[in-house]
Amino acid sequence: MLDVRRMQVLRAVVTSGSVTAAAAHLGYTPSAVSQQVAALEKEAGVELLERFGRGVRPTAAGRLLTEHAALIGRQVAEAEAALADLRAGRTGRIVLRYFATAGADLVAPTLARFRAGHPDVRVELRLVDQADAASPDGEEPDVTLAVLPRDAPAPAPGSRLVHLRDDPYRAVLPKGHPLAARRTVDLADLAAEPWVGSERPGPCLDAVLGACAAAGFTPGFAVECEEYATAQGFVAAGLGISLIPLMGLGSRHPDVVVRRTRGPEPVRTIQAVVRESSYALPAVRALLTALQEV
């Protein structure tokens, strides 16, 4: 295999026309330059230089390797420039996994803000199911949005959690419900109601059940649908009440009312799971900042 460093020494000799001039340019001794060229000739199995007057000139093989050395030099310079841009956060590629209800309220405005300051950084979006958002699946995203408790450990080795926002649940009631006249509903007042389940098993449902347990009851689910828009439809039809996170209420059914809850207020915590190697990149940290600001 040809030694790239020795090819660059050969290029310096050919460019300057003499071993002595190349040595002065490279900061080597003439003897060291001659040794590097001799070693390269041994690797190539052919002479690369021939004497010409008081200097040297390349053989056909020497010209060939000199041309490739120049090409390699340009590629290395381009790689160094690209690496500098990546380290500075000017370019790069970020893979972001997100779940559906984070799309409109969180991801979309974040990308608009981020691209304004980082137009040459490509963000690839991958939609995943909330229940699987923090689970490894063979892919290696840089950032994954997930619902995880504030005190949760990082879900995978080599990752960290960055808190983004708390997403409170709202009581969704059919119009005409006795509690609809209140601005805020005590969670305990919903204990005897039939419930429309809007969450599948996982951290979101855990947040709802944990708040209900703190209020002294376990909700009785009359209908389970695991989808926010459908849950609103069941509530509007009078089949029960529901708790839906604020980020899941972007499109509201005309026949329901939405009220704050208390005693306690159920909250799901949105966190970013970030690969440690990615967190070192300025562009990734800038994206996390944009997520927190939004």
Side-chain angles (χ1 to χ4, degrees):
M1 181 179 294
L2 298 177
D3 187 288
V4 173
R5 182 171 58 86
R6 290 168 181 164
M7 289 174 62
Q8 296 297 338
V9 172
L10 173 66
R11 181 190 174 201
V13 173
V14 171
T15 301
S16 60
S18 76
V19 171
T20 302
H25 174 73
L26 296 172
Y28 295 166
T29 65
S31 175
V33 170
S34 296
Q35 289 174 8
Q36 293 292 321
V37 173
L40 183 61
E41 287 179 329
K42 185 176 181 180
E43 292 172 351
V46 64
E47 288 188 358
L48 302 175
L49 295 174
E50 60 184 10
R51 292 197 172 277
F52 181 70
R54 294 187 175 183
V56 292
R57 66 182 180 184
T59 63
R63 285 195 300 273
L64 177 67
L65 290 189
T66 299
E67 291 169 359
H68 281 280
L71 177 61
I72 292 171
R74 289 194 295 272
Q75 291 175 334
V76 170
E78 291 172 0
E80 289 175 343
L83 185 60
D85 285 339
L86 181 67
R87 286 198 302 259
R90 292 187 291 268
T91 62
R93 168 180 170 269
I94 301 174
V95 178
L96 172 64
R97 295 172 69 199
Y98 72 103
F99 53 94
T101 56
D105 285 352
L106 187 55
V107 175
T110 292
L111 285 186
R113 180 185 295 252
F114 177 76
R115 285 175 176 170
H118 300 78
D120 295 322
V121 177
R122 187 170 81 256
V123 180
E124 293 185 6
L125 300 179
R126 299 180 183 173
L127 179 64
V128 295
D129 190 293
Q130 166 52 36
D132 302 322
S135 302
D137 59 3
E139 299 179 354
E140 292 191 352
D142 299 289
V143 180
T144 297
L145 304 188
V147 176
L148 292 168
R150 269 183 175 268
D151 57 354
S159 66
R160 69 167 65 190
L161 292 180
V162 177
H163 176 261
L164 298 180
R165 67 180 290 182
D166 293 326
D167 189 22
Y169 279 80
R170 297 291 188 246
V172 181
L173 313 171
K175 281 189 175 180
H177 190 281
L179 297 176
R182 302 183 185 179
R183 298 187 63 180
T184 303
V185 175
D186 290 313
L187 200 57
D189 291 340
L190 302 175
E193 297 283 343
W195 281 56
V196 174
S198 64
E199 303 286 12
R200 64 183 61 190
C204 294
L205 181 59
D206 292 344
V208 172
L209 296 180
C212 291
F217 72 97
T218 299
F221 291 103
V223 180
E224 295 190 17
C225 65
E226 301 179 353
E227 202 276 322
Y228 299 139
T230 304
Q232 290 189 62
F234 284 130
V235 172
L239 300 180
I241 62 91
S242 188
L243 289 186
I244 296 178
L246 196 56
M247 285 173 58
L249 287 168
S251 177
R252 300 191 183 185
H253 196 287
D255 294 324
V256 303
V257 294
V258 177
R259 296 292 180 261
R260 292 178 178 270
T261 58
R262 64 186 178 192
E265 179 184 58
V267 174
R268 66 176 188 173
T269 300
I270 313 297
Q271 304 222 54
V273 183
V274 190
R275 291 170 60 192
E276 285 288 359
S277 58
S278 300
Y279 188 80
L281 300 175
V284 171
R285 293 199 299 273
L287 179 65
L288 291 171
T289 298
L291 282 164
Q292 291 173 318
E293 290 173 348
V294 168

